[in-house]
Amino acid sequence: MTNPLYDALVAPLATRSTPVLTDAAGRDLSGTDLHGMAMALASALVGLGLQPGDRMAVQIDKSPRALALYLAAVAAGVVFLPLNTAYTAEEVDYFVGNSGAALLVGAPARADSLRQVAARHGAQFQTMDAQGDGALADLAGTAPAGFAPVDRGPDDLAAILYTSGTTGRSKGAMLSQHNLLSNAQVLVREWRFAETDVLLHMLPIFHTHGLFVATNVVLLSGGSMIFLPGFKADQAIDWLPKSTTMMGVPTFYTRLLDDPRFTRDLVGHMRLFTSGSAPLLAETHVQFEQRTGHRILERYGMTETNMNTSNPYDGDRRAGTVGPALPGVEVKITDPATGATLPQGEPGMIEVRGPNVFKGYWQMPEKTREELREDGFFITGDIGVIDTDGYVSIVARQKDLIITGGYNVYPKEIELILDEQPGVLESAVVGVPHPDFGEAVVGVLVAQPGQTIDLEAVKAAMGQSLAKFKQPKHIAILPELPRNTMGKVQKNLLRKDLAGLFA
Ligand code: AMP
């Protein structure tokens, strides 16, 4: 019998008496305990009639048992389909229907609406609460012991992760056992994860960052984690002294830097801080180093591809870049219109190929053909540039590219200048419909706490630094930028709010 992902991530837990995770209350869970929890859940899934290849949609709070449910799915060959806990029942309806899930697991507090969703699509429904308790745990408690993991091959699906779908319907990225395992192996090696590591885990586990990057790396390396329900600066400060590594989205780092208790002494012992899922401002990178002496290691990945590039563990971690391609991953820059490879140094579409790249979108062959080339290159939708020594910088999401009067404008170029203006904390630049230009460049600024922004001075500075067509036709000041749980600025919301500006 083989099940490569089970063998690598789950099997070693069975004989591990040391803690694999510590929860927010400081309770340790040993490897054996987590293994037992996962096997009991796997047994319960089989008891419910789930077969290998069936999809299980889960919309549950982060808890040790929620993690065990992912491991149970691996053991039972069930395709794990985690959903953002913020989705409404109507949104969950789409995912359950689209995936043809056989089982939906959701919070007891929303059981009424979610049970109806499940019933509408012929799926079963079970509950799990923020403590991991509920109907599914009850079933696991009485399920037959001694679960034997099912046979799986490297190409069998381990998970379907839906993209966040800011430009249309969300698509289910099919991730195979080999996609996940090969990426975890590379990251363990590249980032030097070992049994001695304690990862401060504050990311959600419905997204690739917290679920696969963080958890798979810890499990594969035999390390352990401090497993908190989410990010809170207070908790991070309490737990950092007991951690060796932390993975975060950029907002974790900016919030820590805002806190005077976040000092060099607090994190002097730390081995590694990584950042991803959204761009880390070069300024944050620099401030972080000044405060702590550590250089954040920024990497780049996405739901469909796991991790693609990473700044080096040893060597130059360059602010504002996401580093070179990971071993085994190819990255190239192409002309978005023709697909032809562009000369070195020119910005264009980032395409990636490697064992990390997904198998396609669930039941969307056309979308798959549009984005995944026959030769295996995935068209990421990110516009980037590669410098002479292979470091990749991301300039924009293609959908955020602004075309004004026929000229292409990359928002990042303007944001970098806006960010430098006195009193500006951060900025976002979007394209807004304009009767003459098609789109007009619009800047949105957030002021630094306690400071005011001199808009006339900002406009004058733009006039000095930028060609006329790149200069914002309007600059607005907002109290904060809209962000999703992964810290990404939701430019689609800004575009919507500003849509009538030039109408
Ligand atoms: P998701 O599928 O939710 O993980 O989102 C993937 C997208 O996040 C990528 O296509 C990038 O646009 C963005 N992203 C991830 N990591 C970075 C990074 N280090 N810097 C800039 N953008 C990033």
Side-chain angles (χ1 to χ4, degrees), residues 396-472:
R397 282 295 286 165
Q398 188 187 30
K399 61 173 194 279
D400 295 332
L401 182 82
I402 303 167
I403 305 180
T404 181
Y407 291 109
N408 284 358
V409 176
Y410 295 110
K412 182 86 176 273
E413 185 188 353
I414 301 161
E415 287 160 4
L416 288 174
I417 301 174
L418 288 172
D419 290 343
E420 282 170 11
Q421 303 310 309
V424 174
L425 178 67
E426 57 179 357
S427 66
V429 166
V430 293
V432 169
H434 189 283
D436 292 339
F437 300 105
E439 280 184 303
V441 177
V442 172
V444 177
L445 305 180
V446 176
Q448 272 169 3
Q451 300 210 24
T452 46
I453 298 170
D454 179 349
L455 271 184
E456 289 314 309
V458 173
K459 283 180 194 156
M462 294 295 105
Q464 289 221 310
S465 315
L466 293 168
K468 185 106 180 105
F469 72 92
K470 294 183 191 170
Q471 293 169 21

Side-chain angles (χ1 to χ4, degrees), residues 130-148:
Q131 280 68 49
D133 296 331
L136 192 57
D138 292 346
L139 276 182
T142 57
F147 183 81

